[in-house]
Amino acid sequence: LLPSIRKQAPGGQPFQICNNIRHMAAADLGNQPHLTEKEASVPEVNLHTFKECFVYKIPPLKNESGHRANDWDVNKWLWSGRLRIAARDAKLTIYLEDAQTGALFAECPVNEPGTGATSVEPVTDSSRYFVLRVEDGKGHHQYIGMGFRERPDAYDFNATLVDHWRSVRREREAEEVHRLVEEKGEAAAVPMADLSLKEGQTLHINIGLGQKKREKPRSTSGGSGELKPLAPPPTLAPPPPASPGMAATDPARGVEEGASHAAP
């Protein structure tokens, strides 16, 4: 399968992608020559493993709009196996490995978005297929097609890459804040105050219940806002005197005096 992924080197001799690393097992990745001594000492963390993926030989890019999976003949894949995404600090790598033996078929070092060449590029006509930039560890690279049978796998694949770089950016921001605090000496110059209660101390809280403020009556007239005194009630005129022919009425008893003993 591997001889189908070939490219002409600058000297005219063909080279085979992953020719020197296809026999490496996943457990021996720390001895790869393209890792620095510092990187090799950091343990690699497995972020996600996909049990099945398919690799395709892709034609040259026709235009700048992007690759199309419809041009690959997706029913004729070049290789199938598992795909593993692993991180070593900020370094992210995609491994294509044999599902049974773990033998390495190809690896794709993923560059951080906005730096270097594009390592993983989705196709324009499907959400299940991508273009990977695989390398052999000696500076040679080749673009291959990669796809999943199920759409959820493609979603998880893309989400794993996005989550990794988001985590890297957050760690860098936290380190930058810590560095600025150390340079300004704010952590040592501003000690934290001890607000805890000492032995024997009590805390009194005045809630203010029963001490309601009386609201001043609002003035109904515009202007200065002062309350004007009310006018006295009007004086009622005295009742007219009783005429000689009318009997006086007792207002409390409701009967006419002198009329209670009248003859029937």
Side-chain angles (χ1 to χ4, degrees):
L1 297 178
L2 285 174
S4 299
I5 310 179
R6 305 177 69 89
K7 180 180 178 182
Q8 292 293 329
Q13 297 296 327
F15 67 83
Q16 183 173 306
I17 298 299
C18 307
N19 185 42
N20 297 326
I21 59 176
R22 60 178 177 175
H23 298 295
M24 292 183 180
D28 196 33
L29 293 175
N31 298 324
Q32 295 179 19
H34 58 282
L35 292 178
T36 64
E37 182 179 355
K38 181 180 179 180
E39 292 174 341
S41 62
V42 178
E44 191 174 59
V45 179
N46 188 33
L47 302 182
H48 206 296
T49 300
F50 301 90
K51 297 181 179 180
E52 184 183 48
C53 74
F54 302 90
V55 171
Y56 302 89
K57 180 180 179 180
I58 61 176
L61 187 63
K62 296 180 180 180
N63 50 58
E64 297 180 357
S65 62
H67 293 272
R68 291 172 50 86
N70 198 32
D71 300 333
W72 301 353
D73 192 1
V74 295
N75 293 322
K76 296 181 180 179
W77 54 87
L78 178 68
W79 175 89
S80 65
R82 75 183 181 193
L83 184 148
R84 185 169 60 91
I85 304 176
R88 195 188 299 270
D89 280 345
K91 183 180 177 64
L92 186 67
T93 307
I94 299 173
Y95 298 103
L96 301 176
E97 302 168 335
D98 186 271
Q100 302 297 329
T101 64
L104 187 64
F105 171 77
E107 71 175 79
C108 171
V110 183
N111 296 322
E112 184 174 359
T115 63
T118 302
S119 305
V120 180
E121 181 181 356
V123 299
T124 60
D125 58 343
S126 176
S127 61
R128 295 187 293 117
Y129 297 91
F130 302 84
V131 175
L132 305 183
R133 186 180 186 270
V134 297
E135 298 182 3
D136 64 351
K138 295 184 178 181
H140 303 146
H141 69 273
Q142 175 71 44
Y143 290 96
I144 61 174
M146 187 276 296
F148 297 98
R149 186 186 301 273
E150 302 294 338
R151 186 168 284 105
D153 288 342
Y155 175 84
D156 293 341
F157 171 78
N158 190 61
T160 303
L161 303 182
V162 173
D163 290 345
H164 169 77
W165 295 121
R166 183 184 294 117
S167 176
V168 170
R169 288 193 296 268
R170 289 176 178 174
E171 290 181 1
R172 290 174 181 171
E173 292 173 358
E175 292 175 356
E176 181 66 17
V177 171
H178 182 70
R179 183 184 64 82
L180 293 176
V181 171
E182 287 185 343
E183 289 181 355
K184 294 181 179 180
E186 294 179 357
V190 185
M192 296 183 62
D194 185 9
L195 303 179
S196 60
L197 293 176
K198 303 300 185 293
E199 183 178 358
Q201 290 182 337
T202 58
L203 183 64
H204 299 278
I205 301 177
N206 187 8
I207 302 178
L209 295 177
Q211 299 180 358
K212 298 182 179 180
K213 295 183 179 180
R214 296 182 178 180
E215 297 183 357
K216 296 182 178 180
R218 298 182 180 179
S219 174
T220 56
S221 61
S224 61
E226 298 180 356
L227 184 64
K228 295 182 179 181
L230 298 176
T235 303
L236 300 177
S243 60
M246 296 181 62
T249 303
D250 185 357
R253 297 175 61 184
V255 296
E256 293 181 355
E257 295 182 359
S260 59
H261 301 287

